[in-house]
Amino acid sequence: MASAAAPSPIPVASLSARRGKAIAGPRVAGPSTQPPRLFSRQCGPSAGIARRRRRLRAAASGSKVDPVEERVPVAPVPGVPSPPAEAQPQVSTGTWKWRGYNIRYQQAGTSGPALVLIHGFGANSDHWRKNIPVLAMENRVYAIDLIGYGYSDKPNPREIEANFYTFETWGEQLNDFCAEVVKSEAFFICNSIGGVVGLQAAVMEPQKCMGIVLLDISLRMLHIKKQPWFGKPFIKSFQSLLRNTIVGKLFFNAVATPESVKNILCQCYHDTSAVTDELVQIILQPGLDPGAVDVFLEFICYSGGPLPEELLPLVKCPVLVGWGEKDPWEPVELGRAYASFDAVEDFVVLPDVGHCPQDEAPELVNPLVESFVKRHS
């Protein structure tokens, strides 16, 4: 991935203490993101990464985020009782009726600002299991399964209104969730395509969003606007092949296995020791529900709709962008361009982390979110 150094449009915070050097400023690279390759990388030992990764905490300093290394805990003194650890709030699961469909969500915390956590493509609210109880210590935390994903209903796109599974639909779902369940304005904490959902919702109803944290937001490199003119007919033909022939379902069946899911996760997680059997089941199990295949094919054939760079100029609330340094799907070199938007107050590089920082490195993400929320509450 060739790139040339360029001056940063705004200060860039980089959590790079464990690497012993600062990460270079913004670079510009040509489009390179491709659809996930199912078997290109096998899960392997990650002990070296685990040993190198020190627990870092992000602390607010003025209006920016500075990296602070957490001290190694002191061993308990024999005969001196340790202070009791503060119990984390219990996480509960609920069902919300939206437009006649059942929507699953999780909730924890009883006081403080509201946070709504929004998952990425193929995931669900369980992908935030390492964040919900921690963030709920000082906040009211909600994590939602977008319609079509997780354990929310999956209406067949062929049997309902045209263009149902769009960012506009999910943006409306998120805003209605804030109005009917959260019952207040909220911060949106988003990963991957969830970032586009959060931006879309904030543009549609600005009064409902207090701020947005974007973790490795999808660059939507397969969007029709980002394709060369000569490639557009081939894209449409390929989409038609997936939607209207047995090829699409065969492709889904090849993906929807424990082995394939594990291999895909090992591509996007830099520390593959985080790709546990539990995580594989979290992602796979809802994908085996009736209707999941149709939603899957509908979305991978969705090459229209908004781009992040089209939504960011319209956002009125503060935005913090966090990016895994080792994200192979959404390269940080391309993500740095988002630091130039007026709404973005920080661009934070997360070292040795892949596409899903909230799950791979919650010890980095949770303090980052907490400091951002405190600054803007």
Side-chain angles (χ1 to χ4, degrees), residues 22-37:
I23 294 174
R27 292 178 288 171
V28 179
S32 59
T33 301
Q34 299 296 328
R37 296 186 299 274

Side-chain angles (χ1 to χ4, degrees), residues 1 12-16 18-19 23-27 29 32-33 53 56 65 190-196 199 212-221 226 268 270 307-309 312 319-341 344 346-358 360-361 364-365 368-369:
M1 196 149 26
V12 176
S14 174
L15 299 178
S16 53
R18 61 177 155 167
R19 292 178 59 83
I23 294 174
R27 292 178 288 171
S32 59
T33 301
R53 177 174 291 163
L56 303 179
V65 177
C190 321
N191 176 228
S192 192
I193 68 159
V196 186
L199 290 175
I212 306 175
V213 176
L214 302 174
L215 301 171
D216 294 68
I217 185 173
S218 172
L219 297 167
R220 305 207 65 202
M221 297 306 297
K226 296 188 175 182
C268 66
H270 184 62
L307 291 165
E309 53 266 36
L312 273 167
V319 177
L320 184 145
V321 180
W323 216 284
E325 178 198 20
K326 304 293 187 180
D327 187 337
W329 292 352
E330 314 288 352
V332 67
E333 289 84 357
L334 300 182
R336 288 183 192 275
Y338 292 148
S340 63
F341 289 93
V344 177
D346 278 302
F347 186 99
V348 180
V349 175
L350 305 171
D352 294 334
V353 179
H355 184 64
C356 305
Q358 79 279 8
E360 185 180 341
L364 304 184
V365 169
L368 193 67
V369 171

Side-chain angles (χ1 to χ4, degrees), residues 13 24 26 45 94 235 239 252 278 294 319:
I235 291 174
Q239 290 173 337
F252 178 82
E278 177 196 27
D294 297 299
V319 177

Side-chain angles (χ1 to χ4, degrees), residues 89-95 104-109 125 132 141-143:
Q90 185 175 357
V91 180
S92 61
T93 300
T95 301
R104 179 243 203 169
Y105 69 94
Q106 300 185 55
Q107 177 181 357
S125 59
I132 298 172
V141 181
Y142 302 82

Side-chain angles (χ1 to χ4, degrees), residues 28-73:
V28 179
S32 59
T33 301
Q34 299 296 328
R37 296 186 299 274
L38 298 185
F39 307 106
S40 65
R41 179 184 175 197
Q42 298 293 326
C43 288
S46 302
I49 295 173
R51 284 195 298 268
R52 290 195 305 273
R53 177 174 291 163
R54 292 185 175 88
R55 296 177 62 84
L56 303 179
R57 299 200 60 148
S61 175
S63 63
K64 297 297 172 184
V65 177
D66 296 324
V68 179
E69 185 168 351
E70 189 177 82
R71 295 181 181 179
V72 177

Side-chain angles (χ1 to χ4, degrees), residues 74-84:
V74 178
V77 179
V80 178
S82 300

